[in-house]
Amino acid sequence: FARKTPAAADDAKPAAGGEEVRMVVDEKDAPEKLLFLVYIEQRNGCKEQWFKPLDGATSFVVPITEALGEKERTRREEARKKAEEEKEAARTEAERKAAEEKAEQERKIEEQKRKRKDRRESCERFVATFERDADVSEKHVFEYDNGDVIMFAVRAKGASEEERCTKPASAHLVTNLAIGGAPLRLHWGLKVDGKRGWAEPPEECWPENTERRDGQAVQTPFTEVSDGVLAVHIDKMPASASGLLAVLHLPPHTWMNKPGGGDLFLTLRDVAPLPGLDKEVSKTAAQLAEDIVEKEMEYGSWTLMHRYGHGQHVMNSVASDDTDCWATLYIWMRYSQLRVLDWQRNYNTQPRQLSAAQMSFVTQLAQKFREKGAQRWNIRMTMSCVGRGGGGDLGQRIRDDILVILRHNRGWGHGSMMEQWHQKLHNNTTPDDVVICNALLAFWHSNGNRDEYWRVLYDNGVTRERLASYSQPITAEPDYPGHIRDTMLHELGVYGHLLKTVHLGTDLDTIVDHCRWFMSDGTRGAVDGYMHARWHAAFVDKLRSALNARKAVMAQLPHVNEEQARDLLFLDIAIESDARRKVEGGETHDGSLWAHVASVAAAAEALALSEAELDSATRLGNVSRELGEVLKKLEYYGESEDVGLRAAAAMN
């Protein structure tokens, strides 16, 4: 670039006082266009200035190609076409090579599949030699990326039921894993009655070349039994061995668990059924019950959080469509709700961890409710035994908000009831905390009457002994600084609502608040109708209003997301529970035949709604319809012998 002030002799003079910039470029090197800005330097009293086009463009543009000669334009066009042809040829060649590579890859994959199938068939033929001459009591096939492992238990044909329960079967592992390097080894131990985890097997059952490892397991090398097939045989295990635990080891550093995680496990003997399980239940449900009992009785550390986590595993990986398994899951959670099982044992759970575990569990239950129609009755009852839970924020608020309450009285220091409760809440919040909060509300409402505090606790099953049994025990009684009575009633009311939100999914007022924002207009109107009727309507109208609200809730259920479905199910359960309590609490009607029939018809239809796709739901629906016809005749003819007989027939 150069800047030049033109001489007066120039043919094309710039304006007086003007300047010009002239650029000379060979045609072959000329660009397609020139972009520039005008710039005034800061000097001689002038400020720095930049000038851009008035049309808002970022630069001035001067096309150059229009000034090129015909010959140069032709040359450039030919060069452009040649470049495009070369680009197209390169693309075609790349596609050809990619197709060849893909075909070669597919050929290799098919070859690998064929070889793997051949190796699998070799394994199966080897296993078949045992199946011809003995009973295979349990068999698992584990598929890895580079081969398979078949794990099976064998016992003599015709073994009695007693032998199956007292004498362990022999264990066999057969594999076709194609792994280079050191020989494959089986790292294994025993599951022994009355003990948790791995136990080292006694030497009399060690296969040849077995080596002791860590006091809990031994290692045995696989031996080749046919071309490409490796096996380990284990026999003479002690009578206390109920199962074999194992992982694969490729020295020095490669370990292979079961596909998806966890240990390989093989049941070695049947277990005599627990009391109550000697009835006709599925094998999977019986094994599930044994697993639950082991965890509840033998695990040193166990809490509600662990229970809900394992319940979620059972629901997703074990139960499937097995009604007995779903019933077992419900019974387990019901025992937990009734405090028959420990809520906390040698483990501190932060509130946010428990609330998150609860919410994850019940959200999955709600999803299963929509997927498994035949299991809805059991799933619904299971949800009724578990709190709604909440996200991390709700759980954390349990810890944070109790600190806000404690700040209202500096006297609640070490040793006070409020400080002891605060320590329990920080380490292991449970549904008992809802009862404790209600007891404190009664205490403050009664101006510090401790009898009211203990009455509420005992009415809800929380005794002095139970309070003292917590890992953070509550042994002190509440005290009453009366000047903060109104503040405490407000704060405990708000805190109790938070505790109910996390622990009690079926508290009606709480769950209505959760659902109100996403309920359809029809559902909201039906629910609000019951919320009014439960206090102001006649008995029969209460039952009918509850039924109408539940129908609306269930009609909306298929059209919401997982979280909303969970809350709608809790709302349905809460409405049903509230209506049932009114019946069981002694509310009744005017004693007329019409009121009797109308009450039973509404109750039958409500129960049919709960039982979903069970056969009994159909029968209950028929009863409700028959009684509906009786009501029509009553309204038209009044009470008569004929109407009474028809009502009796419908009930029968």
Side-chain angles (χ1 to χ4, degrees):
F1 284 91
R3 189 176 67 176
K4 177 183 177 184
T5 302
D10 282 356
D11 294 333
K13 272 190 176 182
E19 298 178 348
E20 70 175 16
V21 174
R22 179 175 297 170
M23 182 173 67
V24 180
V25 183
D26 189 281
E27 270 195 334
K28 292 181 179 180
D29 301 322
E32 292 184 1
K33 58 183 70 175
L34 176 67
L35 285 74
F36 68 92
L37 297 172
V38 177
Y39 167 62
I40 297 178
E41 294 180 343
Q42 181 177 354
R43 66 181 181 180
N44 299 328
C46 294
K47 294 183 178 179
E48 176 182 294
Q49 297 184 61
W50 290 88
F51 296 90
K52 294 184 179 181
L54 294 176
D55 61 4
T58 57
S59 305
F60 295 99
V61 179
V62 176
I64 303 296
T65 52
E66 296 176 2
L68 297 175
E70 183 66 28
K71 183 178 179 180
E72 177 61 20
R73 285 201 294 270
T74 302
R75 187 191 69 77
R76 291 195 177 198
E77 180 63 21
E78 290 174 353
R80 185 188 63 77
K81 289 181 178 179
K82 183 178 179 181
E84 288 183 354
E85 290 172 357
E86 290 175 351
K87 183 178 178 181
E88 179 64 21
R91 186 185 64 79
T92 303
E93 179 64 16
E95 288 179 351
R96 184 188 64 78
K97 288 183 177 180
E100 289 179 354
E101 291 174 358
K102 181 179 179 182
E104 177 64 16
Q105 185 68 18
E106 289 176 349
R107 186 192 65 76
K108 289 181 179 179
I109 291 173
E110 289 301 320
E111 180 68 14
Q112 290 173 356
K113 287 182 179 178
R114 184 188 63 77
K115 290 181 178 179
R116 178 165 180 161
K117 181 180 178 183
D118 291 343
R119 294 200 308 270
R120 174 72 170 270
E121 289 176 351
S122 297
C123 286
E124 292 287 2
R125 284 194 297 272
F126 182 76
V127 173
T129 61
F130 292 90
E131 294 176 328
R132 285 195 298 268
D133 304 323
D135 285 337
V136 175
S137 57
E138 185 165 300
K139 179 179 176 182
H140 303 288
V141 178
F142 303 104
E143 296 184 354
Y144 294 86
D145 291 338
N146 46 8
D148 309 299
V149 172
I150 302 177
M151 191 177 191
F152 59 102
V154 172
R155 62 174 68 251
K157 280 186 176 293
S160 67
E161 187 65 31
E162 182 180 358
E163 289 176 322
R164 289 177 177 275
C165 292
T166 57
K167 183 179 179 181
S170 60
H172 303 263
L173 285 92
V174 182
T175 182
N176 55 30
L177 283 169
I179 305 175
L184 185 65
R185 302 177 70 85
L186 183 71
H187 186 88
W188 63 282
L190 298 178
K191 172 71 179 74
V192 177
D193 291 342
K195 293 184 179 180
R196 185 165 62 91
W198 293 48
E200 183 182 84
E203 292 190 23
E204 55 265 24
C205 67
W206 291 8
E208 188 177 354
N209 298 322
T210 296
E211 300 174 358
R212 178 176 281 107
R213 282 303 175 197
D214 54 8
Q216 293 182 310
V218 296
Q219 280 196 7
T220 303
F222 280 84
T223 57
E224 189 167 8
V225 294
S226 65
D227 185 27
V229 178
L230 307 173
V232 170
H233 307 290
I234 304 170
D235 203 356
K236 299 179 182 178
M237 284 171 280
S240 60
S242 60
L244 183 141
L245 298 141
V247 294
L248 303 176
H249 183 210
L250 192 67
H253 304 302
T254 302
W255 295 87
M256 300 171 65
N257 292 335
K258 180 177 68 175
D263 301 326
L264 302 172
F265 182 78
L266 182 68
T267 301
L268 298 176
R269 58 178 171 80
D270 295 341
V271 179
L274 293 168
L277 288 180
D278 51 353
K279 306 295 187 290
E280 196 66 35
V281 297
S282 71
K283 183 178 180 180
T284 305
Q287 291 175 340
L288 172 59
E290 296 288 347
D291 175 60
I292 291 170
V293 169
E294 176 191 352
K295 286 178 169 56
E296 293 289 350
M297 300 296 291
E298 297 181 16
Y299 276 29
S301 301
W302 192 250
T303 67
L304 283 171
M305 179 187 71
H306 297 102
R307 185 172 296 135
Y308 296 149
H310 191 62
Q312 189 165 351
H313 163 72
V314 168
M315 169 177 55
N316 290 324
S317 305
V318 179
S320 187
D321 291 315
D322 190 323
T323 298
D324 291 338
C325 282
W326 285 104
T328 303
L329 182 62
Y330 160 63
I331 293 167
W332 182 23
M333 293 302 143
R334 179 60 173 158
Y335 273 129
S336 175
Q337 183 189 37
L338 294 173
R339 304 190 185 98
V340 176
L341 304 176
D342 290 340
W343 282 356
Q344 183 273 332
R345 182 168 68 238
N346 300 328
Y347 192 95
N348 290 335
T349 306
Q350 294 180 12
R352 62 180 178 83
Q353 295 172 323
L354 172 61
S355 63
Q358 278 180 283
M359 177 164 279
S360 178
F361 182 36
V362 295
T363 301
Q364 282 286 301
L365 279 170
Q367 182 61 23
K368 296 296 182 184
F369 182 92
R370 297 202 287 190
E371 294 173 358
K372 299 183 180 297
Q375 307 304 334
R376 286 185 171 184
W377 173 247
N378 281 319
I379 293 172
R380 193 174 180 282
M381 292 194 299
T382 303
M383 288 186 68
S384 71
C385 300
V386 183
R388 175 183 178 274
D393 175 65
L394 277 181
Q396 187 61 35
R397 278 182 55 199
I398 290 178
R399 303 185 92 193
D400 296 342
D401 289 8
I402 187 62
L403 294 174
V404 174
I405 294 174
L406 287 176
R407 292 191 188 109
H408 291 301
N409 182 28
R410 294 176 180 269
W412 287 331
H414 181 72
S416 69
M417 180 270 164
M418 291 298 291
E419 172 59 22
Q420 290 177 342
W421 188 35
H422 154 244
Q423 292 299 328
K424 177 192 179 302
L425 289 163
H426 265 234
N427 290 282
N428 288 293
T429 182
T430 66
D432 278 357
D433 293 313
V434 177
V435 179
I436 294 171
C437 188
N438 288 339
L440 287 170
L441 280 168
F443 170 77
W444 285 92
H445 270 296
S446 61
N447 298 315
N449 185 344
R450 289 176 178 169
D451 290 340
E452 280 297 291
Y453 170 76
W454 288 111
R455 178 188 64 77
V456 173
L457 289 175
Y458 274 84
D459 285 350
N460 290 275
V462 180
T463 62
R464 288 179 184 269
E465 293 74 20
R466 184 169 182 81
L467 291 172
S469 70
Y470 300 140
S471 61
Q472 302 290 336
I474 299 176
T475 55
E477 292 185 312
D479 59 321
Y480 182 71
H483 65 285
I484 59 170
R485 176 181 181 275
D486 292 342
T487 300
M488 287 300 296
L489 287 174
H490 170 75
E491 294 283 8
L492 287 171
V494 173
Y495 195 63
H497 181 79
L498 172 62
L499 291 170
K500 289 177 182 178
T501 298
V502 173
H503 291 300
L504 302 182
T506 56
D507 179 73
L508 183 56
D509 293 322
T510 301
I511 197 62
V512 167
D513 289 343
H514 276 300
C515 296
R516 183 170 299 282
W517 69 272
F518 67 82
M519 285 191 290
S520 66
D521 291 341
T523 303
R524 191 181 302 109
V527 170
D528 287 344
Y530 177 68
M531 297 300 285
H532 174 80
R534 64 195 288 246
W535 301 116
H536 305 290
F539 179 74
V540 174
D541 292 332
K542 289 179 182 179
L543 297 184
R544 287 180 164 181
S545 181
L547 176 60
N548 184 50
R550 292 187 58 207
K551 283 181 175 180
V553 168
M554 297 306 290
Q556 188 178 350
L557 189 68
H559 309 294
V560 295
N561 62 38
E562 288 184 5
E563 289 77 14
Q564 293 168 351
R566 172 200 64 218
D567 289 346
L568 283 178
L569 274 173
F570 274 126
L571 177 57
D572 176 64
I573 295 168
I575 294 173
E576 183 205 32
S577 299
D578 188 74
R580 188 183 68 246
R581 281 194 298 271
K582 293 190 179 302
V583 177
E584 295 172 351
E587 285 195 39
T588 187
H589 47 70
D590 60 12
S592 66
L593 178 58
W594 181 91
H596 277 300
V597 173
S599 300
V600 175
E605 191 170 356
L607 186 54
L609 194 63
S610 299
E611 296 191 355
E613 297 184 18
L614 296 181
D615 292 340
S616 54
T618 303
R619 295 194 293 273
L620 285 164
N622 293 337
V623 169
S624 181
R625 282 190 292 274
E626 284 292 325
L627 291 177
E629 293 299 317
V630 172
L631 288 173
K632 291 178 183 178
K633 290 186 175 295
L634 270 172
E635 292 166 358
Y636 188 79
Y637 296 110
E639 295 186 10
S640 67
E641 183 178 357
D642 178 62
V643 173
L645 289 172
R646 179 154 188 171
M651 293 297 294
N652 288 335

